[in-house]
Amino acid sequence: MTPRVLLADDHPVYREGLRMMLASTGDVDVVGTAADGDEAVALAVELRPRVVVMDLRMPRLDGVQATERIVAACPETGVLVLTMHEDDESVFAAMLAGARGYLLKGADQTEIMRAITAVASGEVIFGPALAGRVTRYFARLASSRPSREEAFPELTVREREVLDLIAAGLSNGMIAERLHLSPKTVRNNVSNVFAKMRVADRAQAIVQARKAGYGH
């Protein structure tokens, strides 16, 4: 199924160029464009896209705040950040807000399409320039983190297995295949994991899980 995509960027030339580029592939359906964060939230609620491609620096409401509101209002929608900003503060603020992907604006068509497809499938993805930095960030936390069992003592053994694969970036379908479980069983386990961890979505679960050593 072709994913429905909403674009949010305050630069009209870049926004229109991105819209035309994505539309030309025939692999996504660009259902709308937004020039600021407030408009992005309103259109996400109205149009219910599968993916919002989000700039970070926008007027009225920035991309991090817009991401938080979209994730809260539209849990079925994934946010892919596409921005010029590659500093650690921006990257991790977006992650903690619930973004499932982060790319820099130098990314080419292939990278952007791959990221949209991944986010639409429930996966988490970072551009090549950021992947190593994210890995090093979590590595620095390793020495001070609790053991995996201490971090989430309420999880069952099976739920820990599922969380480990979630943290590794696998979709529900991939987890079902890896653990030889039915899709329904995986969905139930994922729901239980999120409830016990008190997280709203996959991105928040991944951040907490990787801090505790999962997904490596």
Side-chain angles (χ1 to χ4, degrees):
M1 183 176 178
T2 302
R4 292 161 47 83
V5 176
L6 170 67
L7 307 179
D9 195 294
D10 64 326
H11 296 284
V13 174
Y14 184 84
R15 186 174 65 245
E16 179 61 16
L18 181 61
R19 185 195 67 78
M20 292 175 63
M21 182 272 285
L22 294 177
S24 72
T25 68
D27 294 325
V28 299
D29 179 13
V30 180
V31 296
T33 63
D36 59 58
D38 276 340
E39 189 177 11
V41 175
L43 286 176
V45 171
E46 176 187 351
L47 300 173
R48 299 285 170 167
R50 192 71 188 88
V51 178
V52 177
V53 179
M54 178 80 72
D55 191 13
L56 286 186
R57 303 292 185 263
M58 292 188 293
R60 299 177 65 191
L61 189 71
D62 67 33
V64 171
Q65 293 174 302
T67 296
E68 288 179 332
R69 295 186 187 184
I70 289 171
V71 167
C74 314
E76 73 282 5
T77 297
V79 176
L80 168 64
V81 171
L82 181 60
T83 181
M84 295 173 57
H85 303 279
E86 57 179 316
D87 57 285
D88 287 353
E89 182 179 356
S90 295
V91 174
F92 295 111
M95 287 175 60
L96 292 171
R100 293 182 193 165
Y102 200 109
L103 286 182
L104 300 179
K105 282 190 173 178
D108 60 24
Q109 176 178 312
T110 300
E111 289 179 278
I112 295 172
M113 287 300 303
R114 182 168 62 242
I116 288 174
T117 301
V119 171
S121 300
E123 299 174 40
V124 176
I125 187 167
F126 297 94
L130 300 173
R133 184 184 304 171
V134 172
T135 299
R136 288 191 296 272
Y137 172 81
F138 287 111
R140 288 197 298 270
L141 298 175
S143 60
S144 61
R145 70 181 181 231
S147 72
R148 293 175 18 151
E149 290 72 19
E150 291 172 341
F152 310 112
E154 65 276 18
L155 298 185
T156 66
V157 173
R158 175 63 79 189
E159 288 165 353
R160 291 182 195 284
E161 289 180 311
V162 170
L163 179 60
D164 194 43
L165 296 176
I166 290 173
L170 275 66
S171 66
N172 283 5
M174 296 166 70
I175 292 172
E177 183 177 346
R178 180 75 63 88
L179 297 180
H180 305 291
L181 299 173
S182 71
K184 181 179 179 181
T185 298
V186 171
R187 286 195 301 271
N188 290 339
N189 275 283
V190 170
S191 295
N192 290 339
V193 168
F194 289 0
K196 291 179 180 180
M197 292 177 68
R198 297 181 181 177
V199 297
D201 58 30
R202 212 175 193 87
Q204 292 180 11
I206 288 172
V207 170
Q208 291 194 27
R210 288 185 176 172
K211 285 181 180 179
Y214 287 81
H216 299 291

